[in-house]
Amino acid sequence: MTIFSKIVRGEIPSYRCAENEEFYAFLDINPVTRGHVLVIPKREVDYFFDLSDEELGRMMSFTKRVAAAIKQVFPCKKVGVAVMGLDVNHAHVHLAPLQSEMDMDFGKKKLQLPAEEMQQIAADIASAFGRQ
Ligand code: AMP
């Protein structure tokens, strides 16, 4: 089982931002920016492009709503989107508020935010998501 499946099952804690029956959004534990969120299918699939067309469509609709919530909490030029999956073999989309392209440089040193700040960010995004 992947670490993200354990998160979905509640066996590993996460900073929950949004969810529905099929998808789950939570803060990246090593964020590139404040408001860096991962969106995953609850179903365990490794490679993003192995998701069916229909599932990808529903995942992107959900991801779009999460991005809107992030943008409300962290006003930015755009919410950037990236798919890599080189470290965790469970399909996921990275979302991060962007002021410049450097904000989505995954090679740079990641932020380490205190748990209270992570909790507050997740709560703010969850609240913005819920208001939509
Ligand atoms: P990649 O598979 O290359 O797209 O990167 C996996 C991402 O998952 C990285 O940005 C990690 O910081 C993030 N990550 C790994 N474990 C956790 C976790 N337990 N909670 C939140 N994010 C995680």
PDB file of all heavy atoms in Angstrom, residues 30-49:
ATOM      1  N   ASN A  30       6.413  18.942   2.510  1.00  0.00           N
ATOM      2  CA  ASN A  30       7.630  19.724   2.209  1.00  0.00           C
ATOM      3  C   ASN A  30       7.299  20.718   1.109  1.00  0.00           C
ATOM      4  O   ASN A  30       7.703  20.539  -0.043  1.00  0.00           O
ATOM      5  CB  ASN A  30       8.782  18.804   1.755  1.00  0.00           C
ATOM      6  CG  ASN A  30       9.191  17.820   2.822  1.00  0.00           C
ATOM      7  OD1 ASN A  30       9.143  16.610   2.623  1.00  0.00           O
ATOM      8  ND2 ASN A  30       9.590  18.328   3.971  1.00  0.00           N
ATOM      9  N   PRO A  31       6.574  21.777   1.467  1.00  0.00           N
ATOM     10  CA  PRO A  31       6.022  22.653   0.430  1.00  0.00           C
ATOM     11  C   PRO A  31       7.061  23.508  -0.298  1.00  0.00           C
ATOM     12  O   PRO A  31       8.048  23.949   0.304  1.00  0.00           O
ATOM     13  CB  PRO A  31       5.042  23.544   1.216  1.00  0.00           C
ATOM     14  CG  PRO A  31       5.524  23.507   2.626  1.00  0.00           C
ATOM     15  CD  PRO A  31       6.183  22.177   2.833  1.00  0.00           C
ATOM     16  N   VAL A  32       6.818  23.739  -1.583  1.00  0.00           N
ATOM     17  CA  VAL A  32       7.651  24.682  -2.336  1.00  0.00           C
ATOM     18  C   VAL A  32       7.218  26.116  -2.041  1.00  0.00           C
ATOM     19  O   VAL A  32       8.025  27.042  -2.143  1.00  0.00           O
ATOM     20  CB  VAL A  32       7.605  24.417  -3.861  1.00  0.00           C
ATOM     21  CG1 VAL A  32       8.382  23.161  -4.231  1.00  0.00           C
ATOM     22  CG2 VAL A  32       6.194  24.364  -4.403  1.00  0.00           C
ATOM     23  N   THR A  33       5.930  26.283  -1.702  1.00  0.00           N
ATOM     24  CA  THR A  33       5.404  27.585  -1.276  1.00  0.00           C
ATOM     25  C   THR A  33       4.332  27.313  -0.227  1.00  0.00           C
ATOM     26  O   THR A  33       3.823  26.189  -0.142  1.00  0.00           O
ATOM     27  CB  THR A  33       4.691  28.344  -2.421  1.00  0.00           C
ATOM     28  OG1 THR A  33       3.591  27.537  -2.871  1.00  0.00           O
ATOM     29  CG2 THR A  33       5.605  28.658  -3.577  1.00  0.00           C
ATOM     30  N   ARG A  34       3.958  28.337   0.518  1.00  0.00           N
ATOM     31  CA  ARG A  34       2.781  28.195   1.382  1.00  0.00           C
ATOM     32  C   ARG A  34       1.569  27.927   0.485  1.00  0.00           C
ATOM     33  O   ARG A  34       1.410  28.614  -0.530  1.00  0.00           O
ATOM     34  CB  ARG A  34       2.567  29.478   2.200  1.00  0.00           C
ATOM     35  CG  ARG A  34       3.531  29.584   3.352  1.00  0.00           C
ATOM     36  CD  ARG A  34       3.460  30.926   4.059  1.00  0.00           C
ATOM     37  NE  ARG A  34       4.283  30.900   5.263  1.00  0.00           N
ATOM     38  CZ  ARG A  34       5.614  30.997   5.274  1.00  0.00           C
ATOM     39  NH1 ARG A  34       6.272  31.141   4.138  1.00  0.00           N
ATOM     40  NH2 ARG A  34       6.286  30.958   6.417  1.00  0.00           N
ATOM     41  N   GLY A  35       0.775  26.944   0.856  1.00  0.00           N
ATOM     42  CA  GLY A  35      -0.398  26.629   0.042  1.00  0.00           C
ATOM     43  C   GLY A  35      -0.140  25.558  -1.005  1.00  0.00           C
ATOM     44  O   GLY A  35      -0.961  25.359  -1.897  1.00  0.00           O
ATOM     45  N   HIS A  36       0.981  24.854  -0.894  1.00  0.00           N
ATOM     46  CA  HIS A  36       1.306  23.748  -1.810  1.00  0.00           C
ATOM     47  C   HIS A  36       0.457  22.531  -1.412  1.00  0.00           C
ATOM     48  O   HIS A  36       0.607  21.993  -0.320  1.00  0.00           O
ATOM     49  CB  HIS A  36       2.802  23.450  -1.714  1.00  0.00           C
ATOM     50  CG  HIS A  36       3.283  22.313  -2.561  1.00  0.00           C
ATOM     51  ND1 HIS A  36       4.607  21.954  -2.605  1.00  0.00           N
ATOM     52  CD2 HIS A  36       2.656  21.450  -3.402  1.00  0.00           C
ATOM     53  CE1 HIS A  36       4.769  20.922  -3.430  1.00  0.00           C
ATOM     54  NE2 HIS A  36       3.585  20.594  -3.912  1.00  0.00           N
ATOM     55  N   VAL A  37      -0.423  22.135  -2.318  1.00  0.00           N
ATOM     56  CA  VAL A  37      -1.404  21.076  -2.037  1.00  0.00           C
ATOM     57  C   VAL A  37      -1.202  19.924  -3.017  1.00  0.00           C
ATOM     58  O   VAL A  37      -0.844  20.127  -4.179  1.00  0.00           O
ATOM     59  CB  VAL A  37      -2.837  21.663  -2.181  1.00  0.00           C
ATOM     60  CG1 VAL A  37      -3.895  20.557  -2.135  1.00  0.00           C
ATOM     61  CG2 VAL A  37      -3.103  22.698  -1.085  1.00  0.00           C
ATOM     62  N   LEU A  38      -1.446  18.715  -2.541  1.00  0.00           N
ATOM     63  CA  LEU A  38      -1.463  17.527  -3.399  1.00  0.00           C
ATOM     64  C   LEU A  38      -2.905  17.043  -3.530  1.00  0.00           C
ATOM     65  O   LEU A  38      -3.637  17.009  -2.538  1.00  0.00           O
ATOM     66  CB  LEU A  38      -0.619  16.404  -2.795  1.00  0.00           C
ATOM     67  CG  LEU A  38       0.859  16.710  -2.545  1.00  0.00           C
ATOM     68  CD1 LEU A  38       1.531  15.522  -1.854  1.00  0.00           C
ATOM     69  CD2 LEU A  38       1.579  17.035  -3.849  1.00  0.00           C
ATOM     70  N   VAL A  39      -3.295  16.692  -4.739  1.00  0.00           N
ATOM     71  CA  VAL A  39      -4.616  16.102  -4.975  1.00  0.00           C
ATOM     72  C   VAL A  39      -4.398  14.680  -5.474  1.00  0.00           C
ATOM     73  O   VAL A  39      -3.617  14.454  -6.411  1.00  0.00           O
ATOM     74  CB  VAL A  39      -5.415  16.904  -6.019  1.00  0.00           C
ATOM     75  CG1 VAL A  39      -6.781  16.261  -6.248  1.00  0.00           C
ATOM     76  CG2 VAL A  39      -5.572  18.361  -5.588  1.00  0.00           C
ATOM     77  N   ILE A  40      -5.069  13.729  -4.842  1.00  0.00           N
ATOM     78  CA  ILE A  40      -4.882  12.317  -5.215  1.00  0.00           C
ATOM     79  C   ILE A  40      -6.235  11.638  -5.422  1.00  0.00           C
ATOM     80  O   ILE A  40      -7.234  12.039  -4.817  1.00  0.00           O
ATOM     81  CB  ILE A  40      -4.097  11.537  -4.121  1.00  0.00           C
ATOM     82  CG1 ILE A  40      -4.877  11.504  -2.796  1.00  0.00           C
ATOM     83  CG2 ILE A  40      -2.722  12.136  -3.917  1.00  0.00           C
ATOM     84  CD1 ILE A  40      -4.257  10.570  -1.759  1.00  0.00           C
ATOM     85  N   PRO A  41      -6.248  10.597  -6.262  1.00  0.00           N
ATOM     86  CA  PRO A  41      -7.432   9.728  -6.269  1.00  0.00           C
ATOM     87  C   PRO A  41      -7.349   8.822  -5.048  1.00  0.00           C
ATOM     88  O   PRO A  41      -6.252   8.383  -4.678  1.00  0.00           O
ATOM     89  CB  PRO A  41      -7.266   8.921  -7.570  1.00  0.00           C
ATOM     90  CG  PRO A  41      -5.802   8.921  -7.843  1.00  0.00           C
ATOM     91  CD  PRO A  41      -5.207  10.152  -7.212  1.00  0.00           C
ATOM     92  N   LYS A  42      -8.472   8.572  -4.407  1.00  0.00           N
ATOM     93  CA  LYS A  42      -8.445   7.649  -3.254  1.00  0.00           C
ATOM     94  C   LYS A  42      -8.079   6.244  -3.716  1.00  0.00           C
ATOM     95  O   LYS A  42      -7.442   5.496  -2.987  1.00  0.00           O
ATOM     96  CB  LYS A  42      -9.801   7.671  -2.546  1.00  0.00           C
ATOM     97  CG  LYS A  42     -10.076   9.007  -1.864  1.00  0.00           C
ATOM     98  CD  LYS A  42     -11.382   9.000  -1.101  1.00  0.00           C
ATOM     99  CE  LYS A  42     -11.550  10.309  -0.339  1.00  0.00           C
ATOM    100  NZ  LYS A  42     -12.826  10.394   0.387  1.00  0.00           N
ATOM    101  N   ARG A  43      -8.487   5.930  -4.936  1.00  0.00           N
ATOM    102  CA  ARG A  43      -8.118   4.639  -5.531  1.00  0.00           C
ATOM    103  C   ARG A  43      -6.611   4.644  -5.809  1.00  0.00           C
ATOM    104  O   ARG A  43      -6.077   5.638  -6.295  1.00  0.00           O
ATOM    105  CB  ARG A  43      -8.889   4.525  -6.854  1.00  0.00           C
ATOM    106  CG  ARG A  43      -8.810   3.226  -7.542  1.00  0.00           C
ATOM    107  CD  ARG A  43      -9.852   3.194  -8.645  1.00  0.00           C
ATOM    108  NE  ARG A  43      -9.419   3.819  -9.909  1.00  0.00           N
ATOM    109  CZ  ARG A  43      -8.685   3.213 -10.825  1.00  0.00           C
ATOM    110  NH1 ARG A  43      -8.254   1.984 -10.624  1.00  0.00           N
ATOM    111  NH2 ARG A  43      -8.365   3.824 -11.953  1.00  0.00           N
ATOM    112  N   GLU A  44      -5.970   3.522  -5.495  1.00  0.00           N
ATOM    113  CA  GLU A  44      -4.511   3.487  -5.648  1.00  0.00           C
ATOM    114  C   GLU A  44      -4.124   3.177  -7.085  1.00  0.00           C
ATOM    115  O   GLU A  44      -4.340   2.066  -7.578  1.00  0.00           O
ATOM    116  CB  GLU A  44      -3.918   2.437  -4.697  1.00  0.00           C
ATOM    117  CG  GLU A  44      -2.423   2.541  -4.566  1.00  0.00           C
ATOM    118  CD  GLU A  44      -1.877   1.623  -3.464  1.00  0.00           C
ATOM    119  OE1 GLU A  44      -2.231   1.819  -2.289  1.00  0.00           O
ATOM    120  OE2 GLU A  44      -1.126   0.706  -3.804  1.00  0.00           O
ATOM    121  N   VAL A  45      -3.588   4.180  -7.756  1.00  0.00           N
ATOM    122  CA  VAL A  45      -3.075   4.044  -9.122  1.00  0.00           C
ATOM    123  C   VAL A  45      -1.719   4.722  -9.121  1.00  0.00           C
ATOM    124  O   VAL A  45      -1.590   5.812  -8.564  1.00  0.00           O
ATOM    125  CB  VAL A  45      -3.995   4.761 -10.140  1.00  0.00           C
ATOM    126  CG1 VAL A  45      -3.420   4.691 -11.540  1.00  0.00           C
ATOM    127  CG2 VAL A  45      -5.393   4.177 -10.115  1.00  0.00           C
ATOM    128  N   ASP A  46      -0.711   4.101  -9.707  1.00  0.00           N
ATOM    129  CA  ASP A  46       0.633   4.676  -9.689  1.00  0.00           C
ATOM    130  C   ASP A  46       0.735   5.857 -10.660  1.00  0.00           C
ATOM    131  O   ASP A  46       0.882   7.019 -10.255  1.00  0.00           O
ATOM    132  CB  ASP A  46       1.645   3.575 -10.035  1.00  0.00           C
ATOM    133  CG  ASP A  46       3.081   4.085 -10.184  1.00  0.00           C
ATOM    134  OD1 ASP A  46       3.324   5.296 -10.006  1.00  0.00           O
ATOM    135  OD2 ASP A  46       3.965   3.259 -10.490  1.00  0.00           O
ATOM    136  N   TYR A  47       0.580   5.556 -11.940  1.00  0.00           N
ATOM    137  CA  TYR A  47       0.901   6.547 -12.977  1.00  0.00           C
ATOM    138  C   TYR A  47      -0.344   7.361 -13.336  1.00  0.00           C
ATOM    139  O   TYR A  47      -1.387   6.789 -13.687  1.00  0.00           O
ATOM    140  CB  TYR A  47       1.448   5.803 -14.198  1.00  0.00           C
ATOM    141  CG  TYR A  47       1.929   6.658 -15.346  1.00  0.00           C
ATOM    142  CD1 TYR A  47       2.673   7.815 -15.128  1.00  0.00           C
ATOM    143  CD2 TYR A  47       1.659   6.283 -16.658  1.00  0.00           C
ATOM    144  CE1 TYR A  47       3.123   8.584 -16.184  1.00  0.00           C
ATOM    145  CE2 TYR A  47       2.111   7.048 -17.724  1.00  0.00           C
ATOM    146  CZ  TYR A  47       2.845   8.196 -17.481  1.00  0.00           C
ATOM    147  OH  TYR A  47       3.285   8.960 -18.534  1.00  0.00           O
ATOM    148  N   PHE A  48      -0.182   8.673 -13.232  1.00  0.00           N
ATOM    149  CA  PHE A  48      -1.292   9.592 -13.473  1.00  0.00           C
ATOM    150  C   PHE A  48      -2.030   9.263 -14.771  1.00  0.00           C
ATOM    151  O   PHE A  48      -3.263   9.232 -14.816  1.00  0.00           O
ATOM    152  CB  PHE A  48      -0.705  11.009 -13.507  1.00  0.00           C
ATOM    153  CG  PHE A  48      -1.704  12.111 -13.691  1.00  0.00           C
ATOM    154  CD1 PHE A  48      -2.554  12.473 -12.659  1.00  0.00           C
ATOM    155  CD2 PHE A  48      -1.773  12.810 -14.885  1.00  0.00           C
ATOM    156  CE1 PHE A  48      -3.470  13.505 -12.815  1.00  0.00           C
ATOM    157  CE2 PHE A  48      -2.675  13.846 -15.045  1.00  0.00           C
ATOM    158  CZ  PHE A  48      -3.517  14.194 -14.008  1.00  0.00           C
ATOM    159  N   PHE A  49      -1.264   8.985 -15.830  1.00  0.00           N
ATOM    160  CA  PHE A  49      -1.907   8.778 -17.134  1.00  0.00           C
ATOM    161  C   PHE A  49      -2.433   7.349 -17.303  1.00  0.00           C
ATOM    162  O   PHE A  49      -2.905   6.997 -18.389  1.00  0.00           O
ATOM    163  CB  PHE A  49      -0.967   9.198 -18.266  1.00  0.00           C
ATOM    164  CG  PHE A  49      -0.781  10.698 -18.319  1.00  0.00           C
ATOM    165  CD1 PHE A  49       0.478  11.267 -18.146  1.00  0.00           C
ATOM    166  CD2 PHE A  49      -1.864  11.544 -18.507  1.00  0.00           C
ATOM    167  CE1 PHE A  49       0.653  12.650 -18.173  1.00  0.00           C
ATOM    168  CE2 PHE A  49      -1.703  12.934 -18.529  1.00  0.00           C
ATOM    169  CZ  PHE A  49      -0.440  13.481 -18.368  1.00  0.00           C
TER     170      PHE A  49
END
